[in-house]
Amino acid sequence: MSSLSSRLTEIVSDIFVQLELPVELGQVDVSDRPDLAQFQCNGAMSAARIAKKAPRQIAEDIVALLRDRVEFETVEIAGPGFINLTVTDAYLQSHLQQTIMTDRFGAPNLGQGQTIVLDYGGPNLGKAMHVGHIRTAIIGDSLRKILSYVGYKTISDVHMGDWGTPMGMILSELEIRYPNWVYFDPDFSGDYPQETPLTIKDFEELYPTASKACKADPDRHKQAQSATLDLQNKRAGYYVLWKHFTNVSVESMKENYASLDVHFDLWKGESDVHDLIAPMVDLLKEKSYALQSEGALVISVEQHNDTKEIPPLILYKKDGAVMYGTTDMATLVERMNLYHPSKIIYVADQRQHLHFEQVFRAVQKAGIVPDSTELIHAGFGTMNGTDGTPFKTREGGVMKLDDFLEMAIHKSLEKLNEVHAENDLSDKEKNDIATKIGISAIKFADLQNNRISDYIFDLDRLTSFEGKTGPYILYQAVRIKSLLKKAGDHSFKDILVSESNKEIILLLTTFPDVLEGTCRNYTPHILCDYVYSLAQNFSSFYNHCHILSEGNETVKSSHLALCKLILDQIETCMGLLGIKVPERM
RNA sequence: GCGCCCUUAGCUCAGUCGGAUAGAGCGUUGGUUUCCGGAGCCAAAGGCCACAGGUUCGAAUCCUGUAGGGCGCACCA
């Protein structure tokens, strides 16, 4: 770690050790009271109990040893025993140049090359993607980028829902509608048609109709379950037809994810691990973990110190079909074999928490995943509308993902036409910029919330361009780009610390801490907060300090170098959030 | 019934390992442009951190209880 506060922590910790106090009490943080000092250490107060001395006395002892250090401008004690620290401008400047102005802004290497598998897609085959799929994609893809940046090798998997009951619902629905299709003729033995009988349009209506019918009629539901089982047993006609709609569906998903600018390394699904299920279950039977219960084959996941009842995970339903718990387990068999990851992170709705707990316990019990691999459910809140109930469009339906994106982009385009009324941008440029702005608004609005709390899907807020938004940050970055262009050729060298830029330089030195904090609980909102502060600080600096008219060449060059550094930081942070910065806007 | 999560400004949310005067954005009110891009900047008003106890030198943060809300609990994902 090479943030400035972590450097100071090293210095102060040494002194705590010298005084035979616990090393961790030497923790130095950015001050809560910038009017008093830049940094603070609260350890003297905690040490009082251990050392059985007055906190102020301990603070005095520590401060006596700190005063000689060249790093500090002032070292003071305040209140009950806060140690307030302010560094010299020279030290601040050298730290800036030696760590923050290096290739990755002092980013810590947390991953050390270890592998992390991320699972953040989960779209269902045969269903049009809607706004409900947006959170996992945005959060997951951002985590992928952030974790790669701090030294992990990441592998992301879209993990499609392609093997469960919804598949049987669609197949049975088609069989009811088109009983004469060859796919449904059990005696058919020739070659099935190469051409798909279905288009993506068909799916918009097909699944909702089938799902509704199954809910209303138990017999219809049984039919769907039986079709699911037949598919899982790879009944020829079903399987071929399923392949057709897999292809159609995946193509459309790829378009959706491409317009969101979300990437996956693997396009796997539940069905891909089908052949691993039987051997896995055999092994579980051998170890006596798989047991018959109420007609189903289950694995118990209770533990003796449980404070609650936790139901067993069902491996095979009584009709012999598998559910997603089983495919999730088998997927872990595959992931362990192929990648040996140190962590596997599932970015999925918090409502699935119990499911993941069951799966995690089951694979740990079965020895499929060793203790050395951490399994994490990074859950996020339920998506509600502004009235606090599950989100619906004004017409009461689900909002399709591409319609939503289109809305945001369209709104950006309108704003762009206002600003660039003189039409010095081509339509293509405008569309490109509007896309970047619209996507930035959506992604930033989503990521800036702590992922665990429920999510208010507020269209106006998600596509707003003012205040704490993606477009605001883009705007600041674009202003810097414009400024640097106007300044002409420059070699960026030293950044001189002065009163006008000290605050922003101090902020820049916290970047390594920000990354560390973001990765601690997989919460990109911490990074959002940082990049927003940075943009805000820049904007303030920009308004108070006229750069191009600066007469002193050294000062001007320093300002420009700082602007360049801030721009690079903003672009990097936004990149980690999955947001691209345009040249103009 | 059991369990998990939540409750912070009018609204939407931050608040990391317990630290000093709890912060943003929106909204409201006022100011700001002969000058680098005003999607901006400066400022003000706005808080019983749901409530009640407890632990602590110190609690929005930890513990217990209460109220309100959300969610989950065997063949859906």
Side-chain angles (χ1 to χ4, degrees), chain A residues 161-182:
Chain A
D162 63 0
W163 209 231
T165 309
M167 299 302 104
M169 288 182 180
I170 294 171
L171 285 170
S172 54
E173 182 70 19
L174 288 169
E175 186 156 16
I176 290 164
R177 288 189 199 182
Y178 313 107
N180 297 327
W181 280 11
V182 292

Side-chain angles (χ1 to χ4, degrees), chain A residues 406-456:
Chain A
E406 188 44 51
M407 271 176 53
I409 293 167
H410 180 75
K411 210 175 147 187
S412 314
L413 201 54
E414 279 179 347
K415 178 77 186 177
L416 215 48
N417 280 324
E418 264 173 48
V419 176
H420 295 275
E422 68 276 21
N423 260 332
D424 56 335
L425 288 167
S426 71
D427 283 355
K428 190 186 169 301
E429 282 172 312
K430 272 189 190 167
N431 282 324
D432 178 56
I433 295 167
T435 302
K436 284 179 174 145
I437 295 172
I439 298 290
S440 82
I442 291 168
K443 287 191 175 178
F444 195 84
D446 191 307
L447 290 168
Q448 68 161 307
N449 289 315
N450 188 345
R451 61 169 170 67
I452 197 76
S453 39
D454 279 353
Y455 186 60
I456 303 287

Side-chain angles (χ1 to χ4, degrees), chain A residues 445-484:
Chain A
D446 191 307
L447 290 168
Q448 68 161 307
N449 289 315
N450 188 345
R451 61 169 170 67
I452 197 76
S453 39
D454 279 353
Y455 186 60
I456 303 287
F457 188 86
D458 180 347
L459 270 179
D460 292 334
R461 191 170 129 257
L462 260 54
T463 57
S464 164
F465 303 153
E466 283 162 24
K468 190 173 182 180
T469 64
Y472 169 88
I473 298 164
L474 297 188
Y475 182 71
Q476 304 311 334
V478 166
R479 286 212 293 194
I480 302 176
K481 289 189 181 190
S482 168
L483 176 71
L484 294 176

Side-chain angles (χ1 to χ4, degrees), chain A residues 119-129 133 157-168 170 207 228 231-232 242 245-246 249-250 253 257 267-272 323-324 327-328 331 335 352:
Chain A
D119 188 317
Y120 55 84
N124 291 302
L125 229 62
K127 292 195 210 177
M129 285 182 67
H133 294 107
D157 181 7
V158 69
H159 200 69
M160 290 173 281
D162 63 0
W163 209 231
T165 309
M167 299 302 104
I170 294 171
Y207 175 77
T228 307
L231 171 67
Q232 290 179 0
W242 171 84
F245 64 72
T246 301
S249 216
V250 168
M253 274 177 208
Y257 284 120
W267 282 82
K268 296 202 174 193
E270 295 165 343
S271 64
D272 284 296
M323 298 195 299
Y324 77 142
T327 53
D328 275 355
T331 300
R335 286 176 180 166
Q352 295 193 40

